[in-house]
Amino acid sequence: MTRGWRSPGSAPWAAGDPDKRYGPDVALVIVDLQNDFADPAGSLSVSGGATIVPLVNAEIERALATGAAVVYTQDWHPAHTPHFAQDGGIWPVHCVQETWGAELAPELAVCGSIVRKGSHGEDGYSGFSMRNPAGGLPVPTELDETLARGGARRLVVCGLATDYCVKATALDGVRLGYETAVLLDAIRAVDLEPGDGNAALEAMAVAGVTLIGSRPSPD
Ligand code: VGL
Ligand code: ZN
């Protein structure tokens, strides 16, 4: 175990009673809970992805009850992007704009702003920034501005996938100065290589992300 696991991270307030972790300066950030990742028929289906939806809905209720904002990110790719294997990247075609695969999971309660990423072929995983496909330079999404407008200083992050967009979003959250927690029961990993999900948890913990709850079961 690394030191990170023992450290309380930047968001010790998020541990303990789940009904007490939200308030007006907290935002619940739900990452890419979309059909292509969550549905077993999705093109980049994450094992156990759909099972987190009821847990996420319960968090949404807790958040809204205290005046916390709820914000959703949505992978929103054009039909061709260097992100996809067919165009030189590594991923199967997924979350193409205006298709079923890009829609948020149907059982997910949608009660807040949606921030889309990748709309113009940008690559990248964080809800906060994308990489310009031409120059490779980072381009911010609207997430930071949306959170700031809502008065958030603290983040609770959940969704898909642990080893890509959840990790990148949580790491950027810490980097941008948000006290950031991740809900272990409400995330799942792609695990392209076995162990990727656990490595992502380590990286987040070391960076100061507070990991809350139990580790996801390998289902
Ligand atoms: C994601 C792979 C490709 C994610 C997005 O949401 O974690 N993973 N695009
Ligand atoms: Zn993607």
Side-chain angles (χ1 to χ4, degrees):
M1 291 292 118
T2 66
R3 254 166 18 101
W5 282 100
R6 286 201 297 274
S7 116
S10 61
W13 47 267
D17 184 347
D19 285 324
K20 303 216 169 105
R21 59 176 158 246
Y22 294 99
D25 64 342
V26 182
L28 174 62
V29 179
I30 301 163
V31 175
D32 298 3
L33 202 29
Q34 297 166 259
N35 288 329
D36 268 340
F37 301 120
D39 193 291
S43 64
L44 191 37
S45 175
V46 174
S47 174
T51 64
I52 69 172
V53 175
L55 299 173
V56 173
N57 283 340
E59 287 296 318
I60 292 169
E61 273 192 38
R62 288 189 181 108
L64 294 177
T66 66
V70 179
V71 181
Y72 305 76
T73 68
Q74 194 173 27
D75 219 23
W76 194 250
H77 297 300
H80 287 276
T81 157
H83 189 63
F84 294 159
Q86 65 177 16
D87 304 302
I90 64 168
W91 300 108
V93 172
H94 64 275
C95 297
V96 172
Q97 299 162 15
E98 312 293 351
T99 65
W100 171 84
E103 287 170 17
L104 296 178
E107 308 82 13
L108 179 66
V110 182
C111 315
S113 313
I114 299 175
V115 172
R116 290 175 170 165
K117 57 196 171 69
S119 309
H120 304 290
E122 302 92 336
D123 203 354
Y125 302 105
S126 168
F128 287 102
S129 75
M130 310 167 284
R131 268 200 325 270
N132 183 314
L137 291 173
V139 196
T141 67
E142 286 158 20
L143 182 57
D144 191 31
E145 207 184 297
T146 303
L147 294 170
R149 214 184 314 121
R153 286 187 317 106
R154 308 189 275 157
L155 306 181
V156 175
V157 180
C158 61
L160 302 172
T162 309
D163 32 358
Y164 290 93
C165 292
V166 169
K167 173 182 143 190
T169 302
L171 292 180
D172 268 353
V174 169
R175 224 172 271 139
L176 291 165
Y178 295 94
E179 298 170 12
T180 304
V182 163
L183 300 174
L184 293 175
D185 294 316
I187 57 176
R188 285 294 184 281
V190 176
D191 277 333
L192 273 187
E193 299 289 340
D196 283 356
N198 280 334
L201 299 183
E202 297 272 355
M204 289 190 270
V206 168
V209 176
T210 301
L211 302 175
I212 304 295
S214 47
R215 297 175 108 171
S217 56
D219 50 6

